[in-house]
Amino acid sequence: MKVMNTGNMLENRDEAIRQIFLNILEQDEDFWDFRNENTKEFSHGYHSYPAMMIPQVARNLMRMILSNQPNIKSVFDPFMGSGTTLVEGVLHGLDSFGTDLNPLARLLGKVKTTPLNPTYLSEVAEQFIFSLSNDELSYKNGDLVLEKPEFKNIDYWFKPYVIDYLQIIKNNIKKIQHDDIKLFFWAVFSEVVRYVSNTRNSEFKLYRMDEEKLADWNPNVFDVFIKFLNRNIELNQQFYELYNEQNPTNQPAVKIFDLNAMNLEGIDDNSFDLLITSPPYGDSRTTVAYGQFSRLSLQWLDFNEIGEDESLVKDINKIDALLLGGKVDKELKNSLASETLERTIESIAIEDEKRAKEVLQFYIDLDKALKEIARVMKPNSYQCWVVGNRTVKKVKIPTHQIIIELFQKYGVRHVLTFERNIPNKKMPKENSPTNKVGEKVTTMNGEVIFILRKEG
């Protein structure tokens, strides 16, 4: 009987994966920049969201891994955000799973992975717009009595007439009978809420417009809603056609968990074939404030209407604190197995000990997530990570290398690392970390992509 050396087989498989990616980079070193690509095609364009992984990155990672591993049936994203990986997963016929603590992210993930019959959707939309027109007439005649939402500072973030018009739209969405179409409309509504608010829409954090600009800000709420609705109807048509072309017989499963990546309790060991993810840059308070971005939308949405537990309403203002690095332990000690992290924390502490503790807390929490991720991934499954390396106190933090080192104790090995430029990112090219006039450092202008494999 011939005994097969599985170690050599796996090493050969890793080498084959490496060659697929290296060959692409040799042919075109700018391949991963996607400078002129449409990043808002299909359902990806339904709703803005902070720090979204562009679909072309997830799509090509998926294609290249599948070309070597055609038996892959499922994909998992533990930092799902608005669902980019899941959308690409279903378009590749993969059962797609994700988790996120943010209820808005879960709503978007559900909506973006659900193709709707374009004819029926258009019929519902036509009737909906007709009902809006009738309600607007009743509103102007004083015949319509509105029960408005009550949350802190609603009048600070919305003009009075905007509140009325949003409530009219909300009342009409609640009348929709088809559950999936109703969720589709709630996603449009969420985008509109932020757009017509008094916030500076060019930023993800909550900042009110200055008084001069606010005086001239008088959005036509119904027109904005109809514009976004029609846009998403067109995008659904694209998504519906491609989805059915790619899945002519079987529809891939989609499941979105209400779980923190630090504790994936409820997901069995060895569940998923492939992981594609882009984790947070750092804690939400000092990097991308997912909770702040989502707050106004979530305050307007009725949680029972979007399939969420009403008890979660109390946590709307706590989202950022619940994410990685959100709560800093005063007695922090670095016991993590990463020499790179240890050196980085020491360098930051020389400048600012408090900031060093905050950064360390993020990686302590991330390490908990890595342990859980290793548990739920199948033996010999591949993981694709897209990471932005942030700078704190002029110290560049090599998050990709830290993750590689932390994963070693969980039996996950490194296969390949390469970099991509970010040509159209919504962040300044430079910032002032010390607030001293003229003192600037370069911010994130690129991302690191690296591939790992869980050992069998």
Side-chain angles (χ1 to χ4, degrees), residues 320-350:
D320 289 324
L322 295 172
L323 301 176
L324 302 184
K327 294 180 181 178
V328 182
D329 190 329
K330 294 181 180 178
E331 303 299 324
L332 277 182
K333 293 182 180 179
N334 182 9
S335 58
L336 300 178
S338 169
E339 293 182 2
T340 300
L341 177 60
E342 186 174 350
R343 290 194 303 270
T344 301
I345 296 300
E346 288 175 356
S347 297
I348 296 172
I350 292 171

PDB file of all heavy atoms in Angstrom, residues 320-350:
ATOM      1  N   ASP A 320     -20.086  51.284  19.552  1.00  0.00           N
ATOM      2  CA  ASP A 320     -18.637  51.450  19.434  1.00  0.00           C
ATOM      3  C   ASP A 320     -17.905  50.902  20.657  1.00  0.00           C
ATOM      4  O   ASP A 320     -16.802  50.366  20.538  1.00  0.00           O
ATOM      5  CB  ASP A 320     -18.286  52.923  19.216  1.00  0.00           C
ATOM      6  CG  ASP A 320     -18.696  53.410  17.832  1.00  0.00           C
ATOM      7  OD1 ASP A 320     -18.591  52.624  16.869  1.00  0.00           O
ATOM      8  OD2 ASP A 320     -19.140  54.558  17.709  1.00  0.00           O
ATOM      9  N   ALA A 321     -18.533  51.023  21.839  1.00  0.00           N
ATOM     10  CA  ALA A 321     -17.896  50.519  23.062  1.00  0.00           C
ATOM     11  C   ALA A 321     -17.895  48.994  23.121  1.00  0.00           C
ATOM     12  O   ALA A 321     -17.066  48.402  23.820  1.00  0.00           O
ATOM     13  CB  ALA A 321     -18.613  51.082  24.286  1.00  0.00           C
ATOM     14  N   LEU A 322     -18.815  48.350  22.380  1.00  0.00           N
ATOM     15  CA  LEU A 322     -18.913  46.893  22.402  1.00  0.00           C
ATOM     16  C   LEU A 322     -17.964  46.224  21.408  1.00  0.00           C
ATOM     17  O   LEU A 322     -17.727  45.016  21.489  1.00  0.00           O
ATOM     18  CB  LEU A 322     -20.348  46.461  22.085  1.00  0.00           C
ATOM     19  CG  LEU A 322     -21.422  46.873  23.108  1.00  0.00           C
ATOM     20  CD1 LEU A 322     -22.807  46.561  22.565  1.00  0.00           C
ATOM     21  CD2 LEU A 322     -21.201  46.175  24.438  1.00  0.00           C
ATOM     22  N   LEU A 323     -17.417  47.012  20.485  1.00  0.00           N
ATOM     23  CA  LEU A 323     -16.553  46.448  19.447  1.00  0.00           C
ATOM     24  C   LEU A 323     -15.116  46.293  19.953  1.00  0.00           C
ATOM     25  O   LEU A 323     -14.798  46.645  21.089  1.00  0.00           O
ATOM     26  CB  LEU A 323     -16.599  47.341  18.207  1.00  0.00           C
ATOM     27  CG  LEU A 323     -17.995  47.529  17.589  1.00  0.00           C
ATOM     28  CD1 LEU A 323     -17.936  48.501  16.418  1.00  0.00           C
ATOM     29  CD2 LEU A 323     -18.562  46.190  17.143  1.00  0.00           C
ATOM     30  N   LEU A 324     -14.241  45.757  19.115  1.00  0.00           N
ATOM     31  CA  LEU A 324     -12.858  45.503  19.510  1.00  0.00           C
ATOM     32  C   LEU A 324     -12.211  46.764  20.060  1.00  0.00           C
ATOM     33  O   LEU A 324     -12.244  47.821  19.431  1.00  0.00           O
ATOM     34  CB  LEU A 324     -12.035  45.005  18.314  1.00  0.00           C
ATOM     35  CG  LEU A 324     -12.507  43.735  17.604  1.00  0.00           C
ATOM     36  CD1 LEU A 324     -11.515  43.361  16.510  1.00  0.00           C
ATOM     37  CD2 LEU A 324     -12.687  42.587  18.566  1.00  0.00           C
ATOM     38  N   GLY A 325     -11.616  46.656  21.243  1.00  0.00           N
ATOM     39  CA  GLY A 325     -10.922  47.793  21.841  1.00  0.00           C
ATOM     40  C   GLY A 325     -11.825  48.840  22.432  1.00  0.00           C
ATOM     41  O   GLY A 325     -11.364  49.923  22.815  1.00  0.00           O
ATOM     42  N   GLY A 326     -13.120  48.536  22.540  1.00  0.00           N
ATOM     43  CA  GLY A 326     -14.080  49.545  22.992  1.00  0.00           C
ATOM     44  C   GLY A 326     -13.992  49.877  24.462  1.00  0.00           C
ATOM     45  O   GLY A 326     -14.324  50.982  24.876  1.00  0.00           O
ATOM     46  N   LYS A 327     -13.571  48.912  25.281  1.00  0.00           N
ATOM     47  CA  LYS A 327     -13.448  49.126  26.723  1.00  0.00           C
ATOM     48  C   LYS A 327     -12.020  48.775  27.148  1.00  0.00           C
ATOM     49  O   LYS A 327     -11.592  47.635  26.991  1.00  0.00           O
ATOM     50  CB  LYS A 327     -14.457  48.261  27.472  1.00  0.00           C
ATOM     51  CG  LYS A 327     -15.909  48.642  27.207  1.00  0.00           C
ATOM     52  CD  LYS A 327     -16.859  47.753  27.974  1.00  0.00           C
ATOM     53  CE  LYS A 327     -18.312  48.128  27.697  1.00  0.00           C
ATOM     54  NZ  LYS A 327     -19.266  47.231  28.399  1.00  0.00           N
ATOM     55  N   VAL A 328     -11.325  49.758  27.698  1.00  0.00           N
ATOM     56  CA  VAL A 328      -9.910  49.580  28.042  1.00  0.00           C
ATOM     57  C   VAL A 328      -9.764  49.184  29.501  1.00  0.00           C
ATOM     58  O   VAL A 328     -10.249  49.872  30.400  1.00  0.00           O
ATOM     59  CB  VAL A 328      -9.110  50.869  27.762  1.00  0.00           C
ATOM     60  CG1 VAL A 328      -7.638  50.659  28.087  1.00  0.00           C
ATOM     61  CG2 VAL A 328      -9.280  51.296  26.310  1.00  0.00           C
ATOM     62  N   ASP A 329      -9.089  48.073  29.745  1.00  0.00           N
ATOM     63  CA  ASP A 329      -8.790  47.608  31.099  1.00  0.00           C
ATOM     64  C   ASP A 329      -7.656  48.449  31.678  1.00  0.00           C
ATOM     65  O   ASP A 329      -6.612  48.615  31.050  1.00  0.00           O
ATOM     66  CB  ASP A 329      -8.385  46.126  31.046  1.00  0.00           C
ATOM     67  CG  ASP A 329      -8.286  45.498  32.421  1.00  0.00           C
ATOM     68  OD1 ASP A 329      -7.948  46.207  33.390  1.00  0.00           O
ATOM     69  OD2 ASP A 329      -8.532  44.287  32.534  1.00  0.00           O
ATOM     70  N   LYS A 330      -7.867  48.983  32.879  1.00  0.00           N
ATOM     71  CA  LYS A 330      -6.845  49.850  33.493  1.00  0.00           C
ATOM     72  C   LYS A 330      -5.566  49.106  33.828  1.00  0.00           C
ATOM     73  O   LYS A 330      -4.495  49.703  33.926  1.00  0.00           O
ATOM     74  CB  LYS A 330      -7.420  50.494  34.756  1.00  0.00           C
ATOM     75  CG  LYS A 330      -8.553  51.473  34.499  1.00  0.00           C
ATOM     76  CD  LYS A 330      -9.061  52.082  35.789  1.00  0.00           C
ATOM     77  CE  LYS A 330     -10.203  53.061  35.513  1.00  0.00           C
ATOM     78  NZ  LYS A 330     -10.751  53.649  36.758  1.00  0.00           N
ATOM     79  N   GLU A 331      -5.666  47.787  34.022  1.00  0.00           N
ATOM     80  CA  GLU A 331      -4.494  46.998  34.416  1.00  0.00           C
ATOM     81  C   GLU A 331      -3.948  46.186  33.237  1.00  0.00           C
ATOM     82  O   GLU A 331      -3.536  45.040  33.396  1.00  0.00           O
ATOM     83  CB  GLU A 331      -4.860  46.059  35.576  1.00  0.00           C
ATOM     84  CG  GLU A 331      -5.421  46.755  36.797  1.00  0.00           C
ATOM     85  CD  GLU A 331      -4.429  47.738  37.395  1.00  0.00           C
ATOM     86  OE1 GLU A 331      -3.222  47.439  37.370  1.00  0.00           O
ATOM     87  OE2 GLU A 331      -4.868  48.800  37.871  1.00  0.00           O
ATOM     88  N   LEU A 332      -3.925  46.774  32.083  1.00  0.00           N
ATOM     89  CA  LEU A 332      -3.503  46.050  30.889  1.00  0.00           C
ATOM     90  C   LEU A 332      -2.053  45.575  30.979  1.00  0.00           C
ATOM     91  O   LEU A 332      -1.163  46.324  31.382  1.00  0.00           O
ATOM     92  CB  LEU A 332      -3.632  46.943  29.652  1.00  0.00           C
ATOM     93  CG  LEU A 332      -5.021  47.032  29.009  1.00  0.00           C
ATOM     94  CD1 LEU A 332      -4.944  47.905  27.775  1.00  0.00           C
ATOM     95  CD2 LEU A 332      -5.533  45.662  28.627  1.00  0.00           C
ATOM     96  N   LYS A 333      -1.864  44.324  30.590  1.00  0.00           N
ATOM     97  CA  LYS A 333      -0.516  43.779  30.462  1.00  0.00           C
ATOM     98  C   LYS A 333      -0.434  43.040  29.144  1.00  0.00           C
ATOM     99  O   LYS A 333      -1.364  42.351  28.743  1.00  0.00           O
ATOM    100  CB  LYS A 333      -0.201  42.842  31.628  1.00  0.00           C
ATOM    101  CG  LYS A 333      -0.108  43.547  32.973  1.00  0.00           C
ATOM    102  CD  LYS A 333       0.258  42.581  34.077  1.00  0.00           C
ATOM    103  CE  LYS A 333       0.346  43.293  35.419  1.00  0.00           C
ATOM    104  NZ  LYS A 333       0.687  42.362  36.518  1.00  0.00           N
ATOM    105  N   ASN A 334       0.689  43.159  28.473  1.00  0.00           N
ATOM    106  CA  ASN A 334       0.857  42.514  27.169  1.00  0.00           C
ATOM    107  C   ASN A 334       1.406  41.108  27.349  1.00  0.00           C
ATOM    108  O   ASN A 334       2.595  40.910  27.576  1.00  0.00           O
ATOM    109  CB  ASN A 334       1.800  43.334  26.291  1.00  0.00           C
ATOM    110  CG  ASN A 334       1.957  42.721  24.905  1.00  0.00           C
ATOM    111  OD1 ASN A 334       1.251  41.784  24.553  1.00  0.00           O
ATOM    112  ND2 ASN A 334       2.877  43.245  24.126  1.00  0.00           N
ATOM    113  N   SER A 335       0.483  40.143  27.260  1.00  0.00           N
ATOM    114  CA  SER A 335       0.890  38.742  27.355  1.00  0.00           C
ATOM    115  C   SER A 335       0.641  38.013  26.046  1.00  0.00           C
ATOM    116  O   SER A 335       0.616  36.787  25.998  1.00  0.00           O
ATOM    117  CB  SER A 335       0.136  38.047  28.496  1.00  0.00           C
ATOM    118  OG  SER A 335      -1.262  38.142  28.287  1.00  0.00           O
ATOM    119  N   LEU A 336       0.457  38.776  24.966  1.00  0.00           N
ATOM    120  CA  LEU A 336       0.162  38.169  23.674  1.00  0.00           C
ATOM    121  C   LEU A 336       1.440  37.693  22.993  1.00  0.00           C
ATOM    122  O   LEU A 336       2.510  38.267  23.171  1.00  0.00           O
ATOM    123  CB  LEU A 336      -0.560  39.177  22.772  1.00  0.00           C
ATOM    124  CG  LEU A 336      -1.893  39.708  23.312  1.00  0.00           C
ATOM    125  CD1 LEU A 336      -2.481  40.719  22.346  1.00  0.00           C
ATOM    126  CD2 LEU A 336      -2.884  38.577  23.555  1.00  0.00           C
ATOM    127  N   ALA A 337       1.283  36.646  22.207  1.00  0.00           N
ATOM    128  CA  ALA A 337       2.442  36.014  21.568  1.00  0.00           C
ATOM    129  C   ALA A 337       2.767  36.697  20.253  1.00  0.00           C
ATOM    130  O   ALA A 337       2.643  36.110  19.172  1.00  0.00           O
ATOM    131  CB  ALA A 337       2.161  34.532  21.359  1.00  0.00           C
ATOM    132  N   SER A 338       3.209  37.958  20.332  1.00  0.00           N
ATOM    133  CA  SER A 338       3.608  38.681  19.131  1.00  0.00           C
ATOM    134  C   SER A 338       4.737  39.651  19.474  1.00  0.00           C
ATOM    135  O   SER A 338       4.516  40.655  20.153  1.00  0.00           O
ATOM    136  CB  SER A 338       2.433  39.451  18.534  1.00  0.00           C
ATOM    137  OG  SER A 338       2.883  40.337  17.518  1.00  0.00           O
ATOM    138  N   GLU A 339       5.923  39.338  19.004  1.00  0.00           N
ATOM    139  CA  GLU A 339       7.058  40.237  19.242  1.00  0.00           C
ATOM    140  C   GLU A 339       6.851  41.569  18.537  1.00  0.00           C
ATOM    141  O   GLU A 339       7.240  42.625  19.043  1.00  0.00           O
ATOM    142  CB  GLU A 339       8.350  39.578  18.762  1.00  0.00           C
ATOM    143  CG  GLU A 339       8.757  38.357  19.576  1.00  0.00           C
ATOM    144  CD  GLU A 339      10.070  37.764  19.089  1.00  0.00           C
ATOM    145  OE1 GLU A 339      10.663  38.349  18.144  1.00  0.00           O
ATOM    146  OE2 GLU A 339      10.497  36.727  19.645  1.00  0.00           O
ATOM    147  N   THR A 340       6.217  41.525  17.370  1.00  0.00           N
ATOM    148  CA  THR A 340       5.951  42.766  16.631  1.00  0.00           C
ATOM    149  C   THR A 340       5.042  43.682  17.437  1.00  0.00           C
ATOM    150  O   THR A 340       5.266  44.895  17.525  1.00  0.00           O
ATOM    151  CB  THR A 340       5.311  42.452  15.274  1.00  0.00           C
ATOM    152  OG1 THR A 340       6.208  41.619  14.519  1.00  0.00           O
ATOM    153  CG2 THR A 340       5.018  43.728  14.498  1.00  0.00           C
ATOM    154  N   LEU A 341       4.000  43.122  18.034  1.00  0.00           N
ATOM    155  CA  LEU A 341       3.090  43.917  18.857  1.00  0.00           C
ATOM    156  C   LEU A 341       3.817  44.484  20.069  1.00  0.00           C
ATOM    157  O   LEU A 341       3.630  45.660  20.423  1.00  0.00           O
ATOM    158  CB  LEU A 341       1.910  43.057  19.311  1.00  0.00           C
ATOM    159  CG  LEU A 341       0.904  43.742  20.246  1.00  0.00           C
ATOM    160  CD1 LEU A 341       0.272  44.965  19.576  1.00  0.00           C
ATOM    161  CD2 LEU A 341      -0.176  42.767  20.699  1.00  0.00           C
ATOM    162  N   GLU A 342       4.636  43.686  20.705  1.00  0.00           N
ATOM    163  CA  GLU A 342       5.367  44.146  21.887  1.00  0.00           C
ATOM    164  C   GLU A 342       6.238  45.348  21.564  1.00  0.00           C
ATOM    165  O   GLU A 342       6.237  46.353  22.281  1.00  0.00           O
ATOM    166  CB  GLU A 342       6.213  42.999  22.448  1.00  0.00           C
ATOM    167  CG  GLU A 342       6.906  43.341  23.759  1.00  0.00           C
ATOM    168  CD  GLU A 342       7.615  42.147  24.364  1.00  0.00           C
ATOM    169  OE1 GLU A 342       7.428  41.019  23.882  1.00  0.00           O
ATOM    170  OE2 GLU A 342       8.376  42.353  25.331  1.00  0.00           O
ATOM    171  N   ARG A 343       6.973  45.280  20.463  1.00  0.00           N
ATOM    172  CA  ARG A 343       7.832  46.405  20.063  1.00  0.00           C
ATOM    173  C   ARG A 343       6.987  47.641  19.729  1.00  0.00           C
ATOM    174  O   ARG A 343       7.359  48.766  20.060  1.00  0.00           O
ATOM    175  CB  ARG A 343       8.688  46.019  18.847  1.00  0.00           C
ATOM    176  CG  ARG A 343       9.769  44.997  19.131  1.00  0.00           C
ATOM    177  CD  ARG A 343      10.767  44.936  17.982  1.00  0.00           C
ATOM    178  NE  ARG A 343      10.128  44.623  16.708  1.00  0.00           N
ATOM    179  CZ  ARG A 343       9.956  43.381  16.256  1.00  0.00           C
ATOM    180  NH1 ARG A 343      10.373  42.339  16.978  1.00  0.00           N
ATOM    181  NH2 ARG A 343       9.373  43.162  15.098  1.00  0.00           N
ATOM    182  N   THR A 344       5.865  47.412  19.061  1.00  0.00           N
ATOM    183  CA  THR A 344       4.998  48.526  18.660  1.00  0.00           C
ATOM    184  C   THR A 344       4.429  49.241  19.877  1.00  0.00           C
ATOM    185  O   THR A 344       4.438  50.480  19.939  1.00  0.00           O
ATOM    186  CB  THR A 344       3.853  48.002  17.776  1.00  0.00           C
ATOM    187  OG1 THR A 344       4.398  47.357  16.624  1.00  0.00           O
ATOM    188  CG2 THR A 344       2.943  49.137  17.337  1.00  0.00           C
ATOM    189  N   ILE A 345       3.934  48.481  20.846  1.00  0.00           N
ATOM    190  CA  ILE A 345       3.356  49.073  22.050  1.00  0.00           C
ATOM    191  C   ILE A 345       4.414  49.849  22.828  1.00  0.00           C
ATOM    192  O   ILE A 345       4.152  50.946  23.350  1.00  0.00           O
ATOM    193  CB  ILE A 345       2.710  47.993  22.934  1.00  0.00           C
ATOM    194  CG1 ILE A 345       1.526  47.333  22.208  1.00  0.00           C
ATOM    195  CG2 ILE A 345       2.254  48.574  24.266  1.00  0.00           C
ATOM    196  CD1 ILE A 345       0.418  48.278  21.826  1.00  0.00           C
ATOM    197  N   GLU A 346       5.607  49.306  22.894  1.00  0.00           N
ATOM    198  CA  GLU A 346       6.702  50.002  23.593  1.00  0.00           C
ATOM    199  C   GLU A 346       7.002  51.336  22.918  1.00  0.00           C
ATOM    200  O   GLU A 346       7.226  52.353  23.595  1.00  0.00           O
ATOM    201  CB  GLU A 346       7.956  49.126  23.615  1.00  0.00           C
ATOM    202  CG  GLU A 346       7.854  47.936  24.565  1.00  0.00           C
ATOM    203  CD  GLU A 346       9.064  47.023  24.477  1.00  0.00           C
ATOM    204  OE1 GLU A 346       9.948  47.283  23.609  1.00  0.00           O
ATOM    205  OE2 GLU A 346       9.146  46.052  25.262  1.00  0.00           O
ATOM    206  N   SER A 347       6.994  51.362  21.584  1.00  0.00           N
ATOM    207  CA  SER A 347       7.290  52.602  20.853  1.00  0.00           C
ATOM    208  C   SER A 347       6.203  53.654  21.092  1.00  0.00           C
ATOM    209  O   SER A 347       6.497  54.839  21.261  1.00  0.00           O
ATOM    210  CB  SER A 347       7.415  52.311  19.355  1.00  0.00           C
ATOM    211  OG  SER A 347       8.497  51.443  19.108  1.00  0.00           O
ATOM    212  N   ILE A 348       4.942  53.229  21.099  1.00  0.00           N
ATOM    213  CA  ILE A 348       3.841  54.171  21.331  1.00  0.00           C
ATOM    214  C   ILE A 348       3.875  54.682  22.776  1.00  0.00           C
ATOM    215  O   ILE A 348       3.632  55.864  23.042  1.00  0.00           O
ATOM    216  CB  ILE A 348       2.489  53.511  21.015  1.00  0.00           C
ATOM    217  CG1 ILE A 348       2.412  53.148  19.531  1.00  0.00           C
ATOM    218  CG2 ILE A 348       1.322  54.440  21.387  1.00  0.00           C
ATOM    219  CD1 ILE A 348       1.196  52.320  19.154  1.00  0.00           C
ATOM    220  N   ALA A 349       4.189  53.778  23.718  1.00  0.00           N
ATOM    221  CA  ALA A 349       4.202  54.149  25.138  1.00  0.00           C
ATOM    222  C   ALA A 349       5.235  55.222  25.439  1.00  0.00           C
ATOM    223  O   ALA A 349       5.051  56.026  26.361  1.00  0.00           O
ATOM    224  CB  ALA A 349       4.451  52.910  25.992  1.00  0.00           C
ATOM    225  N   ILE A 350       6.318  55.249  24.692  1.00  0.00           N
ATOM    226  CA  ILE A 350       7.331  56.296  24.886  1.00  0.00           C
ATOM    227  C   ILE A 350       6.716  57.666  24.666  1.00  0.00           C
ATOM    228  O   ILE A 350       7.019  58.637  25.363  1.00  0.00           O
ATOM    229  CB  ILE A 350       8.517  56.071  23.925  1.00  0.00           C
ATOM    230  CG1 ILE A 350       9.287  54.800  24.319  1.00  0.00           C
ATOM    231  CG2 ILE A 350       9.450  57.282  23.914  1.00  0.00           C
ATOM    232  CD1 ILE A 350      10.341  54.385  23.318  1.00  0.00           C
TER     233      ILE A 350
END
